[in-house]
Amino acid sequence: MAELDINDAVLTTRLDAVVNWGRKNSLWPMPFGVACCAIEFMSMMSSKYDLSRFGAEAMRFSPRQSDMMLILGTITNKMAPVLRTIYAQMAEPKWVISVGVCASSGGMYRTYATLQGVDRIIPVDVYVPGCPPRPESIIYGVMKLQEQIEKESLSMRKDHIARFYESLERQDALQAAKGLTSQQTIREMLMDAGERGVGTIF
Amino acid sequence: MIIEHIDAQLPGTITDRHDFRGDQTVVITRENLLAVVDLLHREGFQFLVDITAVDWPEREQRFDVVYHWLNLASQERLRVKVPVADGESVASLAGLFKTANWFEREVFDLFGIRFEGHPDLRRLLTWGDFQGHALRKDFPLDGGDVFCMEGCTAPYNNGERS
């Protein structure tokens, strides 16, 4: 009888589904803007394209207060340790969108100075192609991320991020042991990963 | 005009010259750099616009260190080139021109040319323990990146990684 009294006040669901529903509709973006993609991002956030329609309008410039990092521009090898630190500082659970070809693969900058894709040093969830991509493209990337969040399991996301923290500890240990700069440490980790045939250092 | 003046004041200093529609260039010997700079300064070339370098791998004196000067009073410009072999150093102008400090650090960083008497000759653009000097022609374009396949190697090294 009790079930009948509360019939439409209760909804049964899976925990993953309800938590992920909340997560995907309240993303807090943090722009890591280093090049022209950041200009498209500004346009995406402001009234004409308006990302707040997708529940991600609370932009924060502190990694501590955000959970979706948008990498907007060319990441140089000198910037690589900074990117890793900023990613580590973000609130969990966290997601990364690599916006534009420079962030995704180095783009046209196939040189000694440019990191050939941020997915070598931090886990990336969605890649947005374009040079720079239009605001619609970046919004489409955010929508793809929302679809992905909807489907993922809570523990997998946790393990995913834990693997990154483990690599950060390896980086610190290597840096202390060899007395290198953080840039050179990441470079050596990348070289080592490349020789082992692995594409990433985490 | 300034070229003739240098030649008259410091005979034997200029080894080559080029002057076409105001594009005045002189090539001088490494030993005479400070004397030439002193003369230029007295003649009004008091603005050191740029210091850079060029790598000529097939030449015996492999590098050209290039100085650009501007005479603010007459608006004349002068380019001074100093050929340097690998391992040789050039006199630093950092004591005379403050702007030379970072220019020389940049040239040292990217070409590995040492400047004698520089107060703080550290790398400027790449990080402290970067391997090699990036703008040398035998430096692989991708910096020896293991992920890069063919087509990213140095053009002056027969396609081999150095």
Side-chain angles (χ1 to χ4, degrees):
Chain A
M1 286 305 285
E3 290 93 336
L4 289 176
D5 292 340
I6 55 167
N7 55 3
D8 56 356
V10 172
L11 189 76
T12 56
T13 181
R14 287 180 302 114
L15 182 66
D16 279 11
V18 71
V19 170
N20 284 337
W21 173 80
R23 284 179 175 178
K24 83 170 179 133
N25 288 311
S26 65
L27 289 166
W28 291 49
M30 196 210 67
F32 194 91
V34 281
C36 50
C37 289
I39 306 296
E40 302 297 309
F41 171 80
M42 290 172 208
S43 180
M44 175 183 87
M45 291 305 282
S46 50
S47 53
K48 178 150 185 181
Y49 294 96
D50 196 12
L51 193 65
S52 59
R53 295 180 292 148
F54 303 89
E57 78 270 40
M59 182 165 61
R60 292 290 178 270
F61 293 96
S62 160
R64 299 287 189 202
Q65 299 169 358
S66 49
D67 60 7
M68 176 175 70
M69 182 192 256
L70 289 140
I71 302 166
L72 306 146
T74 322
I75 303 294
T76 56
N77 285 321
K78 212 168 176 179
M79 200 64 171
V82 180
L83 182 65
R84 266 168 80 84
T85 309
I86 300 251
Y87 177 71
Q89 286 171 340
M90 278 166 64
E92 285 177 59
K94 47 197 169 192
W95 298 273
V96 176
I97 300 181
S98 163
V99 178
V101 289
C102 294
S104 305
S105 71
M108 64 181 129
Y109 304 108
R110 200 167 181 182
T111 73
Y112 62 93
T114 307
L115 184 68
Q116 302 294 302
V118 290
D119 53 356
R120 291 178 174 194
I121 59 165
I122 61 170
V124 174
D125 296 289
V126 175
Y127 303 84
V128 180
C131 184
R134 284 187 59 88
E136 297 98 315
S137 311
I138 313 181
I139 290 179
Y140 187 63
V142 174
M143 288 166 72
K144 280 283 166 201
L145 181 66
Q146 288 181 327
E147 278 174 32
Q148 193 180 319
I149 293 170
E150 206 169 67
K151 287 182 212 139
E152 75 189 7
S153 92
L154 300 183
S155 61
M156 267 174 68
R157 173 56 49 180
K158 210 172 158 120
D159 295 344
H160 192 63
I161 297 167
R163 272 216 310 285
F164 171 78
Y165 288 135
E166 186 269 324
S167 82
L168 206 61
E169 277 165 27
R170 269 193 290 127
Q171 181 192 335
D172 289 344
L174 183 69
Q175 188 172 343
K178 286 196 169 179
L180 303 167
T181 56
S182 49
Q183 286 89 1
Q184 192 65 22
T185 313
I186 290 185
R187 181 136 196 101
E188 296 211 345
M189 286 172 82
L190 277 170
M191 290 294 197
D192 180 53
E195 266 151 37
R196 283 186 292 113
V198 195
T200 66
I201 62 171
F202 52 86
Chain B
M1 212 166 69
I2 181 71
I3 301 178
E4 284 78 19
H5 189 66
I6 296 172
D7 214 15
Q9 295 288 312
L10 302 161
T13 298
I14 296 176
T15 56
D16 195 8
R17 53 179 289 179
H18 170 80
D19 183 359
F20 178 70
R21 296 194 177 175
D23 171 30
Q24 303 184 98
T25 304
V26 291
V27 181
I28 62 167
T29 51
R30 191 165 60 92
E31 294 75 21
N32 291 314
L33 175 66
L34 285 178
V36 171
V37 169
D38 186 46
L39 178 67
L40 286 174
H41 194 267
R42 276 188 276 118
E43 294 302 320
F45 287 83
Q46 296 181 345
F47 182 20
L48 176 55
V49 182
D50 192 17
I51 303 177
T52 182
V54 186
D55 185 9
W56 303 97
E58 58 287 308
R59 241 172 47 179
E60 194 167 336
Q61 285 190 306
R62 182 173 167 179
F63 303 106
D64 269 342
V65 181
V66 186
Y67 299 83
H68 289 109
W69 303 91
L70 172 64
N71 185 333
L72 286 168
S74 68
Q75 292 294 305
E76 263 185 295
R77 288 173 193 272
L78 180 68
R79 182 184 299 122
V80 177
K81 290 185 182 176
V82 183
V84 192
D86 198 0
E88 283 181 346
S89 59
V90 192
S92 170
L93 304 185
L96 304 165
F97 296 88
K98 283 202 169 162
T99 186
N101 191 316
W102 278 25
F103 284 150
E104 287 176 356
R105 279 178 64 185
E106 186 188 356
V107 170
F108 165 69
D109 182 0
L110 300 175
F111 290 92
I113 301 166
R114 299 199 73 85
F115 288 87
E116 211 64 57
H118 192 283
D120 181 26
L121 199 63
R122 281 180 297 132
R123 283 177 183 272
L124 180 68
L125 297 173
T126 57
W127 51 93
D129 43 8
F130 185 85
Q131 302 292 313
H133 299 285
L135 285 190
R136 288 190 176 198
K137 293 243 164 72
D138 54 8
F139 186 86
L141 201 57
D142 55 26
D145 193 319
V146 280
F147 293 99
C148 274
M149 295 301 139
E150 69 285 352
C152 284
T153 44
Y156 278 89
N157 218 18
N158 293 328
E160 298 284 322
R161 291 181 184 280
S162 60

